[in-house]
Amino acid sequence: LPDFDLGDFGETREERTFRNWMNSMGVSPFVNNLYKDLTDGHVMLQLMDKVKPGIVDWDKRVNPSESFKKMGGNMKKLENCNYAVELGHKLGFSLVGIDGKDLHDGNK
């Protein structure tokens, strides 16, 4: 695999490793910043679909990025993030104290 490390963004080794892993999985768009680039939920949903193919209901539950430009776009991003957290719980991920708003807001 090609090296996706674009330099030091003031991130920890774990953050850089996770970001590089995401990019190695072929997500789109490319993740340059672990916190800013996950705020619409799409990358997290793509990763979950790669971990367990078919778990994401792309047609009925995921808001497409084209809808973000319209009124209520932030709400649609938040819905995607909430769905990503919901699926994380279904997959048995440890998400104590984390909700969709944390992803949407880019919280560490």
Side-chain angles (χ1 to χ4, degrees), residues 30-83:
F30 190 87
V31 178
N32 293 305
N33 183 291
L34 189 57
Y35 301 100
K36 293 179 183 174
D37 295 343
L38 304 180
T39 60
D40 68 4
H42 274 228
V43 168
M44 295 303 293
L45 291 168
Q46 289 174 56
L47 289 169
M48 288 181 188
D49 206 41
K50 290 185 184 289
V51 168
K52 183 166 184 175
I55 194 168
V56 178
D57 185 348
W58 293 103
D59 295 328
K60 293 187 179 158
R61 292 290 308 271
V62 179
N63 295 301
S65 48
E66 300 82 45
S67 67
F68 301 156
K69 296 175 182 141
K70 300 175 184 171
M71 186 172 232
N74 277 332
M75 184 59 68
K76 294 195 180 298
K77 290 179 186 179
L78 181 57
E79 288 171 359
N80 286 349
C81 292
N82 285 332
Y83 184 43

Side-chain angles (χ1 to χ4, degrees), residues 23 79 87 98:
N23 288 321
E79 288 171 359
L87 292 178
I98 298 172

